[in-house]
Amino acid sequence: MSVYDEVEIEDMEFDEDLQMFYYPCPCGDRFQISLEEINSGEDIASCPSCSLLLKVIYDPEDFCDSDNDDDAVSVDGELVACM
């Protein structure tokens, strides 16, 4: 699979309401990848308007499946790490 570029997740915009990460695409739309996809280990964001793909660089240990609270470590009710 060929990707247009690689971007660190910290450089992406996060929409808390939609739980989606976005990054500008050269076509004028935005690459997108959901938090659910990140939690499941996905690292490819797609653009809904064109065929370009973006590789998202992140540390999987910073994200975990929210359905599995056994893996989550929290402090004062805030998620700080996943095991």
Side-chain angles (χ1 to χ4, degrees):
M1 170 180 7
S2 175
V3 295
Y4 164 73
D5 201 0
E6 294 184 359
V7 153
E8 293 195 22
I9 200 161
E10 292 84 9
D11 295 330
M12 298 182 79
E13 176 186 332
F14 183 65
D15 183 317
E16 288 196 36
D17 293 332
L18 298 176
Q19 297 290 291
M20 295 284 285
F21 289 92
Y22 296 102
Y23 192 79
C25 180
C27 79
D29 204 344
R30 299 182 296 177
F31 292 102
Q32 60 187 36
I33 188 168
S34 70
L35 183 57
E36 182 179 346
E37 290 171 313
I38 294 288
N39 285 335
S40 68
E42 182 65 48
D43 66 351
I44 300 296
S46 60
C47 177
S49 296
C50 71
S51 62
L52 293 178
L53 300 173
L54 183 75
K55 181 166 176 82
V56 180
I57 309 298
Y58 66 95
D59 184 351
E61 292 181 5
D62 291 342
F63 298 89
C64 66
D65 187 350
S66 59
D67 292 338
N68 188 356
D69 291 337
D70 295 337
D71 291 342
V73 176
S74 62
V75 174
D76 296 329
E78 185 173 333
L79 180 67
V80 294
C82 298
M83 306 309 282

